[in-house]
Coordinates of all heavy atoms in Angstrom, one line a residue:
R1394 N 110.3 100.5 109.4 CA 109.7 100.7 108.1 C 108.3 100.1 108.1 O 107.3 100.8 107.7 CB 110.6 100.1 107.1 CG 110.0 100.2 105.7 CD 110.8 99.5 104.6 NE 111.3 98.2 105.0 CZ 112.5 97.8 105.0 NH1 113.4 98.6 104.5 NH2 112.9 96.6 105.4
D1395 N 108.1 98.9 108.5 CA 106.8 98.2 108.5 C 105.8 99.0 109.4 O 104.7 99.2 109.0 CB 106.9 96.8 108.9 CG 107.7 96.0 107.8 OD1 107.7 96.4 106.7 OD2 108.2 94.9 108.2
Q1396 N 106.3 99.3 110.6 CA 105.4 100.0 111.5 C 105.0 101.4 110.9 O 103.8 101.8 111.0 CB 106.0 100.2 112.9 CG 105.1 100.9 113.9 CD 105.8 101.2 115.2 OE1 107.0 101.0 115.3 NE2 105.1 101.7 116.1
S1397 N 105.9 102.1 110.3 CA 105.6 103.4 109.7 C 104.6 103.2 108.6 O 103.6 104.0 108.5 CB 106.9 104.0 109.1 OG 107.8 104.3 110.1
A1398 N 104.7 102.2 107.7 CA 103.8 102.0 106.6 C 102.4 101.6 107.2 O 101.4 102.1 106.6 CB 104.3 100.8 105.8
E1399 N 102.3 100.8 108.2 CA 101.0 100.5 108.8 C 100.3 101.7 109.3 O 99.2 101.9 109.1 CB 101.2 99.5 109.9 CG 101.5 98.1 109.4 CD 101.7 97.1 110.5 OE1 101.1 97.3 111.6 OE2 102.4 96.1 110.3
T1400 N 101.1 102.5 110.1 CA 100.5 103.8 110.7 C 100.1 104.7 109.6 O 99.0 105.3 109.7 CB 101.5 104.4 111.6 OG1 101.9 103.5 112.6 CG2 100.9 105.6 112.3
V1401 N 100.9 104.9 108.6 CA 100.6 105.8 107.5 C 99.3 105.4 106.8 O 98.5 106.2 106.4 CB 101.8 105.8 106.4 CG1 101.4 106.5 105.1 CG2 103.0 106.6 107.1
G1402 N 99.1 104.1 106.7 CA 97.9 103.6 106.0 C 96.6 103.9 106.7 O 95.5 103.7 106.1
T1403 N 96.7 104.2 108.0 CA 95.5 104.5 108.7 C 95.0 106.0 108.6 O 93.9 106.3 109.0 CB 95.7 104.2 110.2 OG1 96.7 105.1 110.8 CG2 96.0 102.8 110.5
S1404 N 95.8 106.8 107.9 CA 95.4 108.2 107.8 C 94.3 108.4 106.8 O 94.2 107.7 105.8 CB 96.6 109.0 107.2 OG 96.3 110.3 106.9
R1405 N 93.4 109.3 107.1 CA 92.3 109.6 106.2 C 92.7 110.1 104.8 O 92.0 110.0 103.9 CB 91.3 110.6 106.8 CG 90.7 110.1 108.1 CD 89.7 111.1 108.7 NE 90.3 112.5 108.7 CZ 89.7 113.5 109.3 NH1 88.5 113.4 109.8 NH2 90.3 114.7 109.3
S1406 N 93.9 110.7 104.7 CA 94.4 111.3 103.5 C 95.0 110.3 102.6 O 95.3 110.5 101.4 CB 95.3 112.4 103.7 OG 96.4 112.0 104.5
V1407 N 95.3 109.1 103.1 CA 96.1 108.0 102.4 C 95.1 107.0 101.9 O 94.3 106.4 102.8 CB 97.2 107.4 103.2 CG1 97.9 106.3 102.5 CG2 98.2 108.5 103.7
T1408 N 95.0 106.7 100.6 CA 94.1 105.7 100.1 C 94.8 104.3 100.0 O 94.1 103.3 99.9 CB 93.5 106.1 98.8 OG1 94.5 106.3 97.8 CG2 92.6 107.4 99.0
K1409 N 96.1 104.3 99.8 CA 96.8 103.0 99.6 C 98.3 103.2 100.0 O 98.9 104.2 99.7 CB 96.7 102.5 98.2 CG 97.3 101.1 98.0 CD 97.1 100.6 96.6 CE 97.8 99.3 96.5 NZ 97.0 98.2 96.2
V1410 N 98.8 102.2 100.7 CA 100.3 102.1 101.0 C 100.8 100.8 100.4 O 100.2 99.8 100.6 CB 100.5 102.2 102.5 CG1 102.0 102.0 102.8 CG2 100.0 103.4 103.1
F1411 N 101.9 100.9 99.7 CA 102.5 99.7 99.1 C 103.6 99.2 100.0 O 104.4 100.0 100.6 CB 103.1 100.1 97.7 CG 102.1 100.5 96.7 CD1 101.8 101.8 96.6 CD2 101.5 99.6 95.9 CE1 100.8 102.2 95.7 CE2 100.5 99.9 95.0 CZ 100.2 101.3 94.9
K1412 N 103.7 97.9 100.1 CA 104.7 97.3 100.9 C 106.1 97.6 100.3 O 106.2 97.6 99.1 CB 104.6 95.8 101.0 CG 103.4 95.3 101.9 CD 103.6 93.9 102.3 CE 102.5 93.5 103.2 NZ 103.0 93.1 104.5
S1413 N 107.1 97.8 101.1 CA 108.4 98.1 100.6 C 109.5 97.4 101.4 O 109.4 97.2 102.6 CB 108.6 99.7 100.8 OG 109.9 100.0 100.4
H1414 N 110.5 97.1 100.7 CA 111.7 96.5 101.3 C 112.9 97.5 101.1 O 114.1 97.1 101.1 CB 112.0 95.2 100.7 CG 110.9 94.2 100.8 ND1 110.7 93.6 102.0 CD2 110.0 93.7 100.0 CE1 109.6 92.8 101.9 NE2 109.2 92.9 100.6
T1415 N 112.6 98.7 100.9 CA 113.6 99.8 100.7 C 113.5 100.9 101.7 O 112.7 100.7 102.7 CB 113.4 100.3 99.2 OG1 112.1 100.9 99.2 CG2 113.5 99.3 98.2
N1416 N 114.2 102.0 101.5 CA 114.2 103.1 102.4 C 113.1 104.1 102.1 O 113.3 105.3 102.4 CB 115.5 103.7 102.5 CG 115.9 104.4 101.2 OD1 115.4 104.1 100.2 ND2 116.8 105.4 101.3
F1417 N 112.0 103.7 101.5 CA 110.9 104.7 101.2 C 109.6 104.0 101.3 O 109.5 102.7 101.3 CB 111.1 105.3 99.8 CG 111.0 104.4 98.7 CD1 109.8 104.1 98.1 CD2 112.2 103.9 98.1 CE1 109.7 103.2 97.1 CE2 112.1 103.0 97.0 CZ 110.9 102.7 96.5
I1418 N 108.5 104.8 101.4 CA 107.2 104.2 101.4 C 106.5 104.9 100.2 O 106.5 106.1 100.1 CB 106.4 104.6 102.7 CG1 107.1 104.0 103.9 CG2 105.0 104.1 102.6 CD1 106.6 104.4 105.3
M1419 N 105.9 104.1 99.4 CA 105.1 104.7 98.3 C 103.6 104.6 98.7 O 103.2 103.5 99.2 CB 105.3 103.9 97.0 CG 104.6 104.5 95.8 SD 105.3 103.9 94.3 CE 104.3 104.7 93.1
M1420 N 102.9 105.7 98.5 CA 101.5 105.7 98.9 C 100.7 106.5 97.9 O 101.2 107.3 97.1 CB 101.3 106.3 100.3 CG 101.8 107.7 100.4 SD 101.8 108.4 102.1 CE 103.4 107.9 102.5
V1421 N 99.4 106.3 97.9 CA 98.4 107.0 97.1 C 97.6 107.9 98.0 O 97.1 107.4 99.0 CB 97.5 106.1 96.3 CG1 96.5 106.9 95.5 CG2 98.3 105.2 95.3
L1422 N 97.6 109.2 97.7 CA 96.8 110.1 98.5 C 95.5 110.6 97.9 O 95.4 110.4 96.6 CB 97.7 111.4 98.8 CG 99.0 111.2 99.5 CD1 99.8 112.6 99.5 CD2 98.9 110.6 100.8
K1423 N 94.7 111.1 98.6 CA 93.4 111.7 98.0 C 93.8 112.9 97.1 O 93.2 113.1 96.1 CB 92.5 112.1 99.1 CG 91.8 111.0 99.9 CD 90.9 111.5 100.9 CE 90.2 110.3 101.6 NZ 89.3 110.7 102.7
D1424 N 94.8 113.6 97.5 CA 95.3 114.8 96.8 C 96.8 114.9 96.9 O 97.3 115.4 97.8 CB 94.6 116.1 97.3 CG 95.0 117.3 96.5 OD1 96.0 117.3 95.8 OD2 94.2 118.3 96.6
S1425 N 97.5 114.3 95.9 CA 98.9 114.3 96.0 C 99.6 115.6 95.9 O 100.6 115.8 96.5 CB 99.5 113.3 94.9 OG 99.3 113.9 93.6
Q1426 N 99.0 116.6 95.1 CA 99.7 117.9 95.0 C 99.6 118.6 96.4 O 100.6 119.2 96.8 CB 99.0 118.7 93.9 CG 99.2 118.2 92.5 CD 100.7 118.0 92.2 OE1 101.5 118.8 92.4 NE2 101.0 116.7 91.8
Q1427 N 98.5 118.5 97.1 CA 98.4 119.1 98.4 C 99.3 118.4 99.4 O 100.0 119.0 100.2 CB 96.9 119.1 98.9 CG 96.7 119.9 100.1 CD 95.3 119.9 100.6 OE1 94.4 119.3 99.9 NE2 95.0 120.6 101.6
G1428 N 99.4 117.1 99.2 CA 100.3 116.3 100.1 C 101.8 116.7 99.8 O 102.5 116.8 100.8
M1429 N 102.2 116.8 98.6 CA 103.5 117.2 98.2 C 103.9 118.5 98.9 O 104.9 118.7 99.5 CB 103.7 117.3 96.7 CG 103.7 116.0 96.0 SD 105.2 115.1 96.1 CE 106.4 116.2 95.3
A1430 N 103.0 119.5 98.7 CA 103.2 120.8 99.3 C 103.4 120.8 100.8 O 104.2 121.4 101.4 CB 102.1 121.8 98.9
F1431 N 102.5 120.0 101.4 CA 102.5 119.8 102.9 C 103.8 119.2 103.4 O 104.5 119.8 104.3 CB 101.3 118.9 103.3 CG 101.3 118.6 104.8 CD1 100.7 119.5 105.6 CD2 101.9 117.5 105.3 CE1 100.6 119.2 107.0 CE2 101.8 117.2 106.6 CZ 101.2 118.1 107.5
F1432 N 104.3 118.1 102.7 CA 105.5 117.5 103.2 C 106.7 118.4 102.9 O 107.6 118.5 103.8 CB 105.7 116.2 102.5 CG 104.8 115.1 103.0 CD1 103.9 114.5 102.1 CD2 104.8 114.7 104.3 CE1 103.1 113.5 102.6 CE2 104.0 113.8 104.8 CZ 103.1 113.1 104.0
K1433 N 106.8 119.1 101.8 CA 107.9 120.0 101.5 C 107.9 121.1 102.6 O 109.0 121.5 103.0 CB 107.8 120.5 100.1 CG 108.2 119.5 99.1 CD 108.2 120.0 97.7 CE 108.6 119.0 96.7 NZ 108.6 119.4 95.3
K1434 N 106.8 121.6 102.9 CA 106.7 122.7 103.9 C 107.3 122.2 105.3 O 107.9 123.0 106.0 CB 105.2 123.1 104.1 CG 105.0 124.1 105.2 CD 103.5 124.5 105.2 CE 102.9 124.2 106.5 NZ 101.5 124.5 106.6
H1435 N 107.2 120.9 105.6 CA 107.7 120.3 106.8 C 109.0 119.6 106.6 O 109.4 118.9 107.5 CB 106.6 119.4 107.4 CG 105.4 120.1 107.9 ND1 105.4 120.9 109.0 CD2 104.2 120.2 107.3 CE1 104.2 121.4 109.1 NE2 103.4 121.0 108.1
K1436 N 109.7 119.9 105.5 CA 111.0 119.4 105.2 C 111.1 117.9 105.3 O 112.1 117.3 105.8 CB 112.0 120.0 106.1 CG 112.1 121.6 106.0 CD 113.1 122.2 106.9 CE 113.3 123.6 106.8 NZ 112.6 124.5 106.0
I1437 N 110.1 117.2 104.7 CA 110.1 115.8 104.6 C 110.3 115.5 103.1 O 109.6 116.0 102.2 CB 108.8 115.1 105.1 CG1 108.7 115.4 106.6 CG2 108.7 113.7 104.8 CD1 107.4 114.9 107.2
L1438 N 111.3 114.7 102.8 CA 111.7 114.4 101.4 C 110.6 113.5 100.7 O 110.3 112.4 101.2 CB 113.0 113.7 101.4 CG 113.6 113.4 100.0 CD1 113.9 114.7 99.2 CD2 114.9 112.7 100.1
V1439 N 110.0 114.0 99.6 CA 109.0 113.3 98.9 C 109.3 113.4 97.4 O 109.9 114.3 96.9 CB 107.6 113.8 99.2 CG1 107.2 113.6 100.6 CG2 107.5 115.3 98.9
L1440 N 108.8 112.4 96.7 CA 108.9 112.4 95.2 C 107.5 112.2 94.6 O 106.8 111.3 95.1 CB 109.8 111.3 94.8 CG 110.0 111.1 93.3 CD1 110.7 112.3 92.7 CD2 110.8 109.8 93.0
D1441 N 107.1 113.0 93.7 CA 105.8 112.9 93.0 C 105.9 111.8 92.0 O 106.7 111.8 91.1 CB 105.5 114.2 92.3 CG 104.1 114.2 91.7 OD1 103.4 113.2 91.8 OD2 103.7 115.2 91.1
C1442 N 105.1 110.8 92.2 CA 105.1 109.6 91.3 C 103.8 109.5 90.5 O 103.4 108.5 89.9 CB 105.3 108.3 92.1 SG 106.8 108.2 93.0
S1443 N 103.1 110.7 90.5 CA 101.8 110.7 89.8 C 101.8 110.4 88.3 O 100.8 110.0 87.7 CB 101.1 112.1 90.0 OG 100.8 112.2 91.4
S1444 N 103.0 110.6 87.7 CA 103.1 110.3 86.3 C 103.0 108.8 86.0 O 102.5 108.3 84.9 CB 104.4 110.8 85.7 OG 105.5 110.2 86.3
S1445 N 103.3 108.0 87.0 CA 103.2 106.5 86.9 C 101.9 106.0 87.5 O 101.3 105.0 86.9 CB 104.4 105.8 87.6 OG 105.6 106.2 87.1
L1446 N 101.5 106.6 88.6 CA 100.3 106.1 89.3 C 99.6 107.4 89.8 O 100.2 108.1 90.7 CB 100.7 105.2 90.4 CG 99.5 104.6 91.2 CD1 98.6 103.7 90.4 CD2 100.1 103.8 92.4
P1447 N 98.4 107.7 89.4 CA 97.7 108.9 89.8 C 97.7 109.1 91.3 O 97.5 108.2 92.1 CB 96.3 108.8 89.3 CG 96.5 107.9 88.1 CD 97.6 106.9 88.5
N1448 N 98.0 110.3 91.8 CA 98.0 110.7 93.2 C 99.0 110.0 94.1 O 98.8 109.9 95.3 CB 96.6 110.7 93.8 CG 95.8 111.8 93.3 OD1 96.2 113.0 93.3 ND2 94.5 111.5 92.9
S1449 N 100.0 109.4 93.5 CA 101.0 108.7 94.3 C 102.2 109.5 94.6 O 102.7 110.3 93.8 CB 101.4 107.4 93.6 OG 102.1 107.6 92.4
I1450 N 102.8 109.3 95.8 CA 104.0 109.9 96.2 C 104.9 108.8 96.8 O 104.5 107.8 97.3 CB 103.8 111.1 97.1 CG1 103.2 110.6 98.5 CG2 103.0 112.2 96.5 CD1 103.3 111.6 99.6
R1451 N 106.2 109.2 96.9 CA 107.2 108.3 97.5 C 107.8 109.1 98.6 O 108.3 110.2 98.4 CB 108.2 107.8 96.5 CG 109.1 106.7 97.0 CD 110.0 106.3 95.9 NE 111.2 107.0 96.0 CZ 112.3 106.8 95.3 NH1 112.3 105.9 94.4 NH2 113.4 107.5 95.5
V1452 N 107.8 108.6 99.8 CA 108.4 109.3 101.0 C 109.6 108.6 101.5 O 109.5 107.4 101.8 CB 107.3 109.5 102.1 CG1 107.9 110.2 103.3 CG2 106.0 110.1 101.6
S1453 N 110.7 109.2 101.6 CA 111.9 108.6 102.1 C 111.7 108.4 103.6 O 111.2 109.3 104.3 CB 113.1 109.5 101.9 OG 113.4 109.5 100.5
I1454 N 112.2 107.3 104.1 CA 112.2 107.1 105.6 C 113.6 107.0 106.1 O 114.5 106.7 105.3 CB 111.3 105.8 106.0 CG1 111.8 104.6 105.3 CG2 109.9 106.1 105.6 CD1 111.2 103.3 105.7
G1455 N 113.8 107.2 107.3 CA 115.1 107.2 107.9 C 115.2 106.6 109.2 O 114.7 105.5 109.5
N1456 N 115.8 107.3 110.1 CA 116.0 106.8 111.5 C 114.7 106.9 112.3 O 113.7 107.4 111.8 CB 117.1 107.5 112.2 CG 116.9 109.0 112.4 OD1 115.8 109.5 112.6 ND2 118.0 109.8 112.3
E1457 N 114.7 106.4 113.5 CA 113.5 106.4 114.4 C 112.9 107.8 114.6 O 111.7 108.0 114.5 CB 113.8 105.8 115.7 CG 112.6 105.6 116.6 CD 112.9 104.9 117.9 OE1 114.0 104.4 118.0 OE2 112.0 104.8 118.7
Q1458 N 113.7 108.8 114.8 CA 113.2 110.2 115.0 C 112.6 110.7 113.7 O 111.5 111.3 113.8 CB 114.4 111.1 115.4 CG 114.0 112.5 115.6 CD 115.2 113.4 116.0 OE1 116.3 113.0 116.1 NE2 114.9 114.7 116.2
Q1459 N 113.2 110.4 112.6 CA 112.6 110.9 111.3 C 111.3 110.2 111.0 O 110.3 110.8 110.5 CB 113.6 110.6 110.2 CG 114.8 111.5 110.2 CD 115.9 111.1 109.3 OE1 116.1 109.9 109.1 NE2 116.6 112.0 108.8
N1460 N 111.2 108.9 111.4 CA 109.9 108.1 111.2 C 108.8 108.6 112.1 O 107.7 108.7 111.7 CB 110.2 106.6 111.4 CG 111.0 106.0 110.3 OD1 111.2 106.6 109.2 ND2 111.6 104.9 110.6
K1461 N 109.2 109.0 113.3 CA 108.2 109.6 114.2 C 107.6 110.9 113.7 O 106.4 111.2 113.7 CB 108.8 109.8 115.6 CG 108.9 108.5 116.4 CD 109.5 108.7 117.8 CE 109.7 107.4 118.5 NZ 110.2 107.6 119.8
K1462 N 108.5 111.7 113.1 CA 108.1 113.0 112.5 C 107.2 112.7 111.3 O 106.1 113.3 111.2 CB 109.3 113.8 112.0 CG 109.0 115.1 111.4 CD 110.2 115.8 110.9 CE 109.8 117.1 110.1 NZ 111.0 117.8 109.6
L1463 N 107.5 111.7 110.5 CA 106.7 111.4 109.3 C 105.3 110.9 109.8 O 104.3 111.4 109.2 CB 107.4 110.2 108.5 CG 106.5 109.6 107.4 CD1 106.2 110.6 106.4 CD2 107.2 108.4 106.8
I1464 N 105.3 110.1 110.8 CA 104.0 109.6 111.3 C 103.1 110.8 111.8 O 101.9 110.9 111.5 CB 104.2 108.5 112.3 CG1 104.7 107.2 111.6 CG2 102.9 108.2 113.0 CD1 105.2 106.2 112.6
A1465 N 103.7 111.6 112.6 CA 103.0 112.8 113.1 C 102.5 113.7 112.0 O 101.3 114.1 112.1 CB 103.9 113.6 114.1
K1466 N 103.3 113.9 111.0 CA 102.9 114.8 109.9 C 101.8 114.1 109.0 O 100.9 114.8 108.5 CB 104.1 115.2 109.1 CG 105.0 116.1 109.8 CD 104.3 117.3 110.3 CE 105.1 118.2 111.3 NZ 104.4 119.3 111.9
I1467 N 101.9 112.8 108.9 CA 100.8 112.1 108.1 C 99.5 112.2 108.8 O 98.5 112.4 108.2 CB 101.2 110.6 107.9 CG1 102.3 110.4 106.9 CG2 100.0 109.8 107.5 CD1 101.9 110.5 105.5
E1468 N 99.5 112.1 110.2 CA 98.3 112.2 110.9 C 97.8 113.6 110.8 O 96.6 113.8 110.6 CB 98.5 111.9 112.4 CG 98.8 110.4 112.6 CD 99.3 110.0 114.0 OE1 99.6 110.9 114.8 OE2 99.3 108.8 114.2
E1469 N 98.6 114.6 110.8 CA 98.3 116.0 110.6 C 97.7 116.2 109.2 O 96.7 116.9 109.1 CB 99.5 116.9 110.9 CG 99.2 118.4 111.0 CD 100.5 119.1 111.3 OE1 101.3 118.7 112.2 OE2 100.7 120.2 110.7
L1470 N 98.3 115.6 108.3 CA 97.9 115.8 106.9 C 96.5 115.3 106.7 O 95.7 115.8 106.0 CB 98.8 115.0 105.9 CG 98.5 114.9 104.5 CD1 98.6 116.3 103.8 CD2 99.4 114.0 103.7
G1471 N 96.1 114.2 107.4 CA 94.7 113.6 107.3 C 93.7 114.6 107.7 O 92.6 114.6 107.2
F1472 N 94.0 115.6 108.5 CA 93.0 116.6 108.9 C 93.0 117.8 107.9 O 92.0 118.5 107.8 CB 93.3 117.1 110.3 CG 93.1 116.1 111.4 CD1 94.2 115.5 112.0 CD2 91.9 115.7 111.7 CE1 94.0 114.5 112.9 CE2 91.7 114.7 112.7 CZ 92.7 114.1 113.3
E1473 N 94.1 118.0 107.2 CA 94.2 119.0 106.2 C 93.6 118.7 104.9 O 93.1 119.5 104.1 CB 95.6 119.5 106.0 CG 96.1 120.2 107.3 CD 97.4 121.0 107.0 OE1 97.7 121.3 105.8 OE2 98.1 121.4 108.0
I1474 N 93.7 117.4 104.5 CA 93.1 117.0 103.2 C 91.7 116.3 103.5 O 91.7 115.3 104.2 CB 94.0 116.0 102.5 CG1 95.3 116.6 102.0 CG2 93.3 115.4 101.2 CD1 96.2 115.8 101.3
K1475 N 90.7 116.9 103.0 CA 89.3 116.3 103.3 C 88.7 115.7 102.1 O 89.0 116.1 101.0 CB 88.5 117.4 103.8 CG 89.1 118.1 105.1 CD 88.1 118.7 105.9 CE 88.6 119.4 107.1 NZ 89.7 119.2 107.8

């Protein structure tokens, strides 16, 4: 979880990552709607939290394989959101 959060925080599309002691990572994106669509397209479970904090989403994390997929897609997302 900690490694995933650190890696996610280096993406150009992510402006903030919140520390978590749970099975999800909450982050603020440059464009949360585009990010939501991107993650759903790649079958990554996300929750729009923009009603509480603008442009924020919550991404569920799981096993090592799922976390690797999340990190790869976050890096890909950085190139799609400019």
